[in-house]
Amino acid sequence: STAHTFGASIVTDKGEILSDVRATYTTDKGGIIPSEAAEHHKKVKDSIIKKAIEESKISEKDISIISFSQSPGLPLSLAVGKNAAIELAKKLKIPLISVSHLVSHLEIGRLLTKAKNPVYILATGANTQIIALEGNKYRIFGEALTIGIGNALDKFGREIDLGFPSGPKIEELAKSGKYIELPYVVKGMDVEFSGIITKAIHLYKQKKASKEDLCFSLQETLFSMLTEVSERALAHTEKNELLLIGGVAANKRLIEMLEIMCKERNAKFYVVPIKYSGDNGVQIAWTGILQYKSNPEYYKNLKLDEIDIKPRQRIDEIEVTWI
Ligand code: AMP
Ligand code: MG
């Protein structure tokens, strides 16, 4: 379970997806209310886990490990999945694997695109980072300083009454908009979205720009900023693969901009299939398998009651043992 999504999935160690069941907390107006999101997760968890097992056509006793989303995100939401996973691991007497859901975005991207060792653009709701593997650690080359790209779009969407999540609706409205200038804020390798969103909200409230024009111009501006720092990361790392992952990877305009940039510098561009761009149980299951296989004895000996969520864990704190 992540901030907004509760999902369950059965995946084999060959990367075959046997089932994938999810439910996402949404609102008509306003953003995520943490206690409501957690209530949503509690309500759906049993039926989602049951359905995932049924759809997979295997029986519970054939499950050999369980993984859950340990980090980062809203604590109340993360805790629901952790508790459900611990309960099931105890019942089935099998190892429990803690997975960073950010790492899982990277790994589902690699599994489904066959990218080998790319520069990653992680564009999710709360997190926006340009990442590459260096030794056994992920290095963050640049990131959004205050709010992530998805949250930035959602924040603007909230002001114009689009509800959560706003990203897809902004993409739709942008189709009939034209360009107006907004601030462009790149600081070295980092990007800063919140001032731009404040400016866009201001223009809308003063009736100086239409929803459509603002949606279009926000996409053009925020995505250009991401494209600029991604290009610099490719140049710096001398890698020739770029992989876009996370919920905002569903956006066709962002894909198009990155595609053009990669073509111009002869780099291969990959994007996670849209079905797996947002949070899902498949990516957690698959990453858990990779982690487990890299050190089965460690995971077999873990004490279940000592495993906890890490709401603020950063991706560069994680030791990569499986690549
Ligand atoms: P994640 O946290 O990775 O599950 O991604 C969720 C975020 O992706 C939310 O902030 C959504 O608004 C955003 N999102 C989903 N689809 C789109 C889209 N087509 N364009 C832009 N943002 C999107
Ligand atoms: Mg996510």
Side-chain angles (χ1 to χ4, degrees), residues 5-163:
T5 298
F6 193 97
S9 163
I10 313 279
V11 176
T12 72
D13 66 343
K14 307 281 186 303
E16 295 160 280
I17 300 163
L18 302 186
S19 63
D20 174 13
V21 188
R22 339 171 179 170
T24 296
Y25 163 83
T26 60
T27 70
D28 294 329
K29 266 186 173 191
I32 302 182
I33 299 166
S35 58
E36 277 187 9
E39 275 314 307
H40 164 269
H41 290 0
K42 279 182 200 155
K43 220 161 59 205
V44 299
K45 73 178 167 57
D46 290 333
S47 65
I48 285 197
I49 293 170
K50 188 164 167 256
K51 211 162 151 209
I53 295 171
E54 276 168 15
E55 272 185 19
S56 73
K57 307 261 188 291
I58 67 165
S59 73
E60 238 177 40
K61 66 172 180 12
D62 296 323
I63 300 173
S64 27
I65 60 171
I66 296 184
S67 311
F68 77 101
S69 166
Q70 179 183 43
S71 74
L74 296 175
L76 290 174
S77 291
L78 290 174
V80 180
K82 181 206 75 172
N83 292 336
I86 288 187
E87 205 178 294
L88 208 52
K90 279 183 178 166
K91 180 176 152 199
L92 302 177
K93 300 192 174 59
I94 55 179
L96 182 65
I97 325 298
S98 311
V99 171
S100 149
H101 104 269
L102 299 182
V103 171
S104 79
H105 279 297
L106 272 48
E107 287 302 345
I108 196 72
R110 273 199 329 132
L111 174 71
L112 299 176
T113 65
K114 310 278 180 249
K116 288 181 193 71
N117 187 8
V119 169
Y120 302 89
I121 308 182
L122 175 66
T124 78
N127 297 276
T128 302
Q129 295 169 330
I130 313 294
I131 300 166
L133 191 65
E134 241 182 34
N136 65 348
K137 284 273 166 78
Y138 292 112
R139 177 166 163 199
I140 300 171
F141 285 86
E143 64 187 317
L145 292 173
T146 49
I147 50 173
I149 184 125
N151 286 4
L153 293 171
D154 293 334
K155 190 172 169 194
F156 178 70
R158 197 155 70 224
E159 292 295 331
I160 63 168
D161 283 341
L162 298 182

Side-chain angles (χ1 to χ4, degrees), residues 2 4-5 101 105 123-126 149-154 164-171 219 223 245-252 274 277-280 283:
T2 57
H4 44 71
T5 298
H101 104 269
H105 279 297
T124 78
I149 184 125
N151 286 4
L153 293 171
D154 293 334
F164 176 83
S166 300
K169 295 172 192 157
I170 289 175
E171 181 170 17
Q219 289 202 155
F223 298 167
I245 61 246
V248 187
N251 190 289
K252 301 239 167 28
I274 189 164
S277 57
D279 294 344
N280 60 82
Q283 63 187 23

